[in-house]
Amino acid sequence: MQIIKQDYLERWELFTQNINQNLQKLTNATSSNKKILLNQIKKDIENAKSEFLSKKGVISNLLQELSKLTPAEKKQYGKQINEFKQQVEETIKNISKQIELIERQIKYSFEYDLSIDYSYERAGKLHILTLVQNELLDVFSELGFEIVDGIEIEDEYHNFEALNIPADHPAREMWDTFFFDHGILRTHTSNMQIRILETRKPPLRVVSSGKCYRRDNMDSTHSFQFHQLEGFAVEPNLNFLDLIRTLYKFVNKYFGQDTKVNFTPSYFPFTEPSAEMSISCFHCKQSTSQCSICKGTGWIEILGCGMINPLVLQNLNIDYDKFQGFAFGMGIERIAMIKYKIPDIRLFFENYVEFNQMF
Ligand code: FA5
């Protein structure tokens, strides 16, 4: 005999069928339809709970009927009722859990729309000049140079005189800058040779980078504000070969193993002898006269360098019989333009977001 009436079983069957159909529909539903379906399922669950599990529900009725039966019948039918009750409770519990999970997913996908691309590029990133500056500093750090911050507001002594550029020196013209009542804006990072060696005793190897200013007109390769990186070493028995070796290592690490270097005699009041260093064009590999970077020459000039002039060491009270120094300075914009094929220096400063996001 079956104590659970056919009617109860059919009602239960109908409930589970409806819920399963609605759960399936949820998978492909739009977000507003999802909400409607979820509400429907939640209503169905509540109805099923009151219909089957409440005080006046199906299970209670069945248990009441059971009390009228003989002990032997109670045992037999009690088991059937219990199994049915368990099935109803577990099904309702599982569906409720599924619904809770789906609701949580919907809630969070609303509050934090995971479909929006919040990648690093969109959130903001370092400017290309900062990236290049960091790349350069990293290379020199690997070569044993200490990184020291610099100052941009200077006096004429540290920017010129201490570097062997007296007031009437023609080189002042080339490095003309912005003057104000109590100082000037530095024209190069070479001021840091003086600032550092005034306070620290050699031996040392230092790189320092930052902004410089000149009274230059803007064009595709010049700006009134730009960045330089200065490097210098003061040690016993240092010679020009040490300078070449250091710069050669830098070029190989930064521009590639097969990049060649070339030194051409030059003049800076604070180095003696002085040179300009060029590197072989790593874009065209010296193979085409059409190259826009080296203009078909095969070579790109990247920095000025030399042995620190003994007159500069003398200004700093350093015994130049005991210590020699080398120094070099490069424009960071120029390096970035060469490395990343950037055609115009003005692009760095125009705050053109698409350009900034390219790197
Ligand atoms: C100097 O400034 C020296 N202090 C470099 C130096 C240091 C030589 C140590 C020897 C020893 P120069 O004026 O050539 O040198 O400038 C160096 C680099 O700064 C240039 O090659 C260029 O890349 C960059 N530069 C100079 N003026 C400008 C400018 N107006 N706009 C952009 N970059 C510039």
Side-chain angles (χ1 to χ4, degrees):
M1 182 189 131
Q2 173 74 11
I3 191 169
I4 306 172
K5 290 182 199 142
Q6 192 56 30
D7 173 43
Y8 293 162
L9 290 173
E10 276 169 11
R11 272 151 65 186
W12 176 245
E13 180 75 15
L14 192 67
F15 161 74
T16 48
Q17 255 179 23
N18 270 345
I19 293 240
N20 283 333
Q21 269 173 12
N22 280 338
L23 280 173
Q24 260 180 2
K25 281 189 203 162
L26 264 181
T27 329
N28 299 319
T30 59
S31 59
S32 55
N33 275 351
K34 254 185 195 160
K35 280 190 169 176
I36 296 170
L37 282 169
L38 278 172
N39 282 338
Q40 184 57 51
I41 296 170
K42 273 157 69 176
K43 254 190 214 160
D44 288 347
I45 292 174
E46 286 315 307
N47 287 343
K49 269 189 196 165
S50 85
E51 196 175 334
F52 290 92
L53 300 172
S54 68
K55 271 187 192 164
K56 289 184 181 162
V58 167
I59 307 283
S60 286
N61 282 348
L62 287 171
L63 290 172
Q64 271 170 20
E65 279 177 39
L66 195 67
S67 61
K68 297 174 200 155
L69 302 178
T70 63
E73 285 170 331
K74 270 185 190 162
K75 203 176 170 194
Q76 186 192 346
Y77 299 130
K79 195 169 170 249
Q80 277 179 26
I81 295 168
N82 257 340
E83 277 172 4
F84 183 55
K85 186 180 172 216
Q86 256 178 20
Q87 190 195 342
V88 170
E89 279 176 345
E90 260 170 39
T91 308
I92 288 180
K93 197 173 143 197
N94 285 342
I95 294 169
S96 300
K97 256 193 186 165
Q98 278 187 58
I99 296 304
E100 198 186 314
L101 198 77
I102 295 168
E103 277 192 319
R104 210 183 302 162
Q105 279 169 354
I106 292 175
K107 180 175 173 224
Y108 287 121
S109 67
F110 262 100
E111 282 178 12
Y112 313 104
D113 189 347
L114 301 179
S115 66
I116 291 178
D117 176 16
Y118 281 114
S119 60
Y120 181 63
E121 272 83 0
R122 281 179 147 238
K125 60 198 291 192
L126 293 179
H127 190 273
I128 176 67
L129 286 177
T130 311
L131 290 172
V132 170
Q133 183 169 282
N134 291 347
E135 285 172 6
L136 295 169
L137 290 172
D138 278 354
V139 173
F140 284 108
S141 174
E142 277 175 38
L143 293 177
F145 284 77
E146 182 190 340
I147 300 167
V148 177
D149 272 345
I151 56 165
E152 292 169 33
I153 296 176
E154 254 309 355
D155 52 44
E156 288 191 55
Y157 174 76
H158 290 90
N159 194 75
F160 295 122
E161 274 119 61
L163 285 162
N164 196 33
I165 314 170
D168 55 356
H169 198 289
R172 286 253 182 151
E173 189 92 9
M174 199 168 77
W175 285 309
D176 199 8
T177 182
F178 301 91
F179 288 73
F180 46 97
D181 284 350
H182 304 291
I184 61 166
L185 294 179
R186 69 172 172 186
T187 54
H188 49 179
T189 41
S190 298
N191 66 327
M192 292 312 294
Q193 290 183 34
I194 309 302
R195 289 275 171 197
I196 292 166
L197 287 166
E198 270 176 349
T199 51
R200 296 193 33 199
K201 295 250 168 288
L204 45 74
R205 277 177 181 238
V206 168
V207 273
S208 185
S209 60
K211 286 197 189 81
C212 303
Y213 306 82
R214 286 187 199 180
R215 215 180 59 86
D216 284 349
N217 289 326
M218 286 292 271
D219 62 24
S220 63
T221 52
H222 290 86
S223 166
F224 53 86
Q225 176 214 276
F226 57 97
H227 297 73
Q228 279 190 349
L229 180 140
E230 186 90 5
F232 63 93
V234 180
E235 288 168 8
N237 305 318
L238 217 56
N239 61 37
F240 204 83
L241 200 58
D242 296 312
L243 170 65
I244 293 179
R245 229 184 260 132
T246 304
L247 291 176
Y248 191 56
K249 278 188 195 159
F250 153 67
V251 167
N252 278 177
K253 272 180 185 283
Y254 193 64
F255 294 103
Q257 283 293 332
D258 51 355
T259 312
K260 292 178 268 185
V261 294
N262 183 49
F263 290 84
T264 317
S266 184
Y267 173 75
F268 296 101
F270 37 91
T271 48
E272 183 59 37
S274 306
E276 302 274 359
M277 186 180 84
S278 304
I279 56 172
S280 58
C281 184
F282 55 92
H283 287 294
C284 72
K285 306 266 181 231
Q286 299 185 312
S287 66
T288 163
S289 57
Q290 311 297 320
C291 178
S292 62
I293 302 294
C294 68
K295 309 275 182 289
T297 63
W299 293 94
I300 313 164
E301 196 184 294
I302 62 160
L303 56 84
C305 61
M307 297 305 293
I308 297 179
N309 192 326
L311 291 172
V312 174
L313 296 178
Q314 197 177 23
N315 288 338
L316 291 158
N317 297 320
I318 294 172
D319 181 351
Y320 54 83
D321 284 330
K322 214 162 137 195
F323 289 105
Q324 289 75 48
F326 66 65
F328 51 88
M330 63 190 94
I332 296 178
E333 282 79 1
R334 295 281 169 84
I335 300 280
M337 288 168 82
I338 294 163
K339 182 119 194 243
Y340 296 100
K341 286 191 169 178
I342 297 165
D344 196 309
I345 198 169
R346 287 167 284 210
L347 283 164
F348 293 118
F349 307 114
E350 280 171 349
N351 218 7
Y352 179 40
V353 176
E354 273 74 17
F355 169 76
N356 293 342
Q357 283 184 336
M358 278 167 66
F359 306 98

